[in-house]
Amino acid sequence: MDNTAIYRIPYGLYYLGTSNGAKQNICVVNTVAQVTDTPQRISVTVLKTNLTCEMITASGTFSAAILDIDSTLEDVAHFGQQSGRSTDKLTGMDIQNDTLGNPLYIQNCAAALSAAVVQKIDLGTHMLFIGEVKDASVLSDKTPLTYAEYRARKSGKTSSVQTEEQKATYQCSICHYVYDGDIPFEELPDDYVCPICKKPKSVFVKM
Amino acid sequence: MDNTAIYRIPYGLYYLGTSNGAKQNICVVNTVAQVTDTPQRISVTVLKTNLTCEMITASGTFSAAILDIDSTLEDVAHFGQQSGRSTDKLTGMDIQNDTLGNPLYIQNCAAALSAAVVQKIDLGTHMLFIGEVKDASVLSDKTPLTYAEYRARKSGKTSSVQTEEQKATYQCSICHYVYDGDIPFEELPDDYVCPICKKPKSVFVKM
């Protein structure tokens, strides 16, 4: 069994906002998903030792803002790589409040959801919360950020899993322009055209 | 409340394989996610009226193959847009079996997972199965397909949420090459260079 196979599952990234009245906190998770449509319910899985798990358990609500492609590594590091136990991550940041009293950080976010917990499933190391969506808004029409894209940016690579060594080179058979984009040629849209002679992707040949 | 906000959550696509001994079936879902790492557990949410829900409940196991970027619309339609109740979707397809007896269709898949159900949570319209991963393999190093990319391809668009009207035009300030790719310029990697004069993305100006 290859223990790395499970890491190929794609995810988004979310600012998970919680409040226990006295304290507010936001962390970054990749574990938000829709589970039902009628009513609209979302699930979120949180490590039981995290402050966020305690706070959702106490308040019974949470907010989840969907990061978009323009999110900065700095913002993700600020909310994702510090513990709310030792730091007030909200101080000095542009924070809003949702209708349930949870903090929301919506910079470079595609949408925001607020949910009330209706089920709590103990998974050992993690707690799975099922929340009924009580408020929701679309914030931009930008593409949501995927966890793979974030990891790739962080490591200075593109979102392709391929390495330079594995990356094949393609050349336009008409004008001999060699594709040198950072997105693997195989992943370009079908209607990609040669930037030089404007011929279709189909005229490119693997070198 | 905007009921469309929830649809901005990114997902992958999966061939979900089930077997009740006599019958095998594969359907397409976008609801597979990792929930714990020790032990490795994944969740999958299935509509309770679907044959797949009956079969997972009966067998207590399922397989999930992670579709990659090269998956064809035809394959997704074959397994995703027909019911296993009326059609044997596996006939004539290149099907393998996992170690738990579930069918696997691994054409253009990045990885395959096989799981044994350890928890079953009734969510009203859907059933949420928690499965412990019993077998797993990486099948390719290609980028997993996202549901957004699949929907975009199906509608003949690129994966960008932006429409032509909203799409901004960018020109290289050095050689005046006008970017004409189908991937929105804002979404190109930071190390994208002008295909003509090889200057960095930063020299491009919005027209």
Side-chain angles (χ1 to χ4, degrees):
Chain A
M1 162 159 158
D2 185 337
N3 290 321
T4 68
I6 199 169
Y7 305 126
R8 304 302 307 279
I9 298 173
Y11 301 99
L13 275 176
Y14 311 86
Y15 292 124
L16 188 61
T18 51
S19 171
N20 62 11
K23 184 182 174 69
Q24 290 194 317
N25 189 46
I26 292 176
C27 69
V28 177
V29 297
N30 66 340
T31 57
V32 174
Q34 177 175 5
V35 290
T36 63
D37 196 57
T38 11
Q40 281 196 345
R41 285 179 177 159
I42 56 176
S43 63
V44 62
T45 309
V46 182
L47 195 63
K48 281 161 73 175
T49 53
N50 283 3
L51 174 64
T52 295
C53 188
E54 286 174 31
M55 291 177 72
I56 296 178
T57 301
S59 71
T61 71
F62 61 89
S63 68
I66 305 169
L67 276 67
D68 73 30
I69 199 79
D70 290 341
S71 295
T72 66
L73 293 178
E74 293 67 26
D75 279 355
V76 178
H78 177 80
F79 290 109
Q81 290 164 26
Q82 309 182 84
S83 168
R85 293 189 198 280
S86 50
T87 320
D88 178 354
K89 296 186 257 183
L90 279 54
T91 303
M93 305 298 284
D94 181 10
I95 304 297
Q96 308 190 15
N97 280 284
D98 70 8
T99 52
L100 303 179
N102 298 297
L104 269 177
Y105 182 69
I106 61 168
Q107 302 305 308
N108 302 311
C109 284
L113 303 163
S114 296
V117 176
V118 291
Q119 263 174 289
K120 210 177 110 187
I121 299 105
D122 191 327
L123 299 174
T125 55
H126 292 68
M127 192 66 75
L128 172 63
F129 295 98
I130 306 290
E132 186 161 324
V133 179
K134 297 297 186 182
D135 198 6
S137 53
V138 171
L139 302 170
S140 85
D141 60 4
K142 287 182 289 181
T143 304
L145 179 67
T146 62
Y147 186 44
E149 173 67 27
Y150 160 73
R151 282 203 318 271
R153 277 202 218 158
K154 211 176 157 207
S155 64
K157 299 197 197 81
T158 72
S159 62
S160 171
V161 176
Q162 296 177 303
T163 66
E164 280 308 314
E165 294 64 40
Q166 295 163 322
K167 202 163 155 185
T169 308
Y170 286 80
Q171 181 173 38
C172 175
S173 60
I174 309 300
C175 73
H176 306 305
Y177 159 66
V178 176
Y179 175 72
D180 64 352
D182 297 288
I183 295 153
F185 186 85
E186 300 85 347
E187 291 175 31
L188 289 171
D190 294 335
D191 50 349
Y192 166 84
V193 295
C194 173
I196 313 297
C197 69
K198 308 290 187 286
K199 291 293 183 299
K201 188 180 179 183
S202 56
V203 307
F204 278 73
V205 291
K206 199 171 186 175
M207 290 168 78
Chain B
M1 163 161 157
D2 184 338
N3 289 321
T4 68
I6 199 169
Y7 304 126
R8 304 304 306 280
I9 297 174
Y11 302 99
L13 276 177
Y14 311 86
Y15 292 124
L16 187 62
T18 52
S19 172
N20 61 13
K23 184 181 175 68
Q24 291 194 316
N25 190 44
I26 292 176
C27 68
V28 177
V29 298
N30 67 339
T31 57
V32 173
Q34 177 174 7
V35 290
T36 63
D37 196 57
T38 28
Q40 281 196 346
R41 285 181 176 158
I42 55 177
S43 63
V44 62
T45 309
V46 183
L47 195 62
K48 281 160 74 175
T49 52
N50 282 5
L51 174 64
T52 297
C53 187
E54 285 174 30
M55 292 177 72
I56 296 178
T57 302
S59 71
T61 71
F62 61 90
S63 69
I66 304 170
L67 276 67
D68 73 29
I69 200 78
D70 289 341
S71 295
T72 67
L73 292 179
E74 293 66 27
D75 280 355
V76 177
H78 177 81
F79 291 109
Q81 290 165 24
Q82 308 182 86
S83 168
R85 295 189 197 278
S86 50
T87 319
D88 178 354
K89 296 186 255 183
L90 279 54
T91 303
M93 304 300 282
D94 180 9
I95 305 297
Q96 307 190 15
N97 280 284
D98 70 8
T99 53
L100 304 179
N102 298 298
L104 269 177
Y105 182 68
I106 61 168
Q107 302 306 309
N108 302 312
C109 285
L113 303 162
S114 295
V117 176
V118 291
Q119 264 175 287
K120 212 177 107 186
I121 299 105
D122 191 327
L123 299 175
T125 54
H126 291 67
M127 193 66 76
L128 172 64
F129 296 98
I130 307 291
E132 187 160 324
V133 179
K134 297 297 186 182
D135 198 6
S137 53
V138 171
L139 302 170
S140 86
D141 61 5
K142 287 182 289 181
T143 304
L145 179 66
T146 62
Y147 186 45
E149 172 66 28
Y150 160 73
R151 283 205 317 270
R153 278 202 217 158
K154 211 176 157 205
S155 64
K157 299 196 197 80
T158 71
S159 61
S160 170
V161 176
Q162 296 178 302
T163 65
E164 280 309 312
E165 293 64 40
Q166 295 162 321
K167 202 164 156 185
T169 307
Y170 286 80
Q171 181 173 38
C172 175
S173 59
I174 309 300
C175 72
H176 306 303
Y177 160 66
V178 176
Y179 175 73
D180 63 352
D182 297 286
I183 295 152
F185 187 85
E186 300 84 349
E187 291 174 33
L188 288 170
D190 294 335
D191 50 348
Y192 166 83
V193 295
C194 173
I196 313 298
C197 69
K198 308 288 187 287
K199 291 293 183 301
K201 188 179 180 183
S202 56
V203 307
F204 278 73
V205 289
K206 198 170 186 174
M207 289 167 77

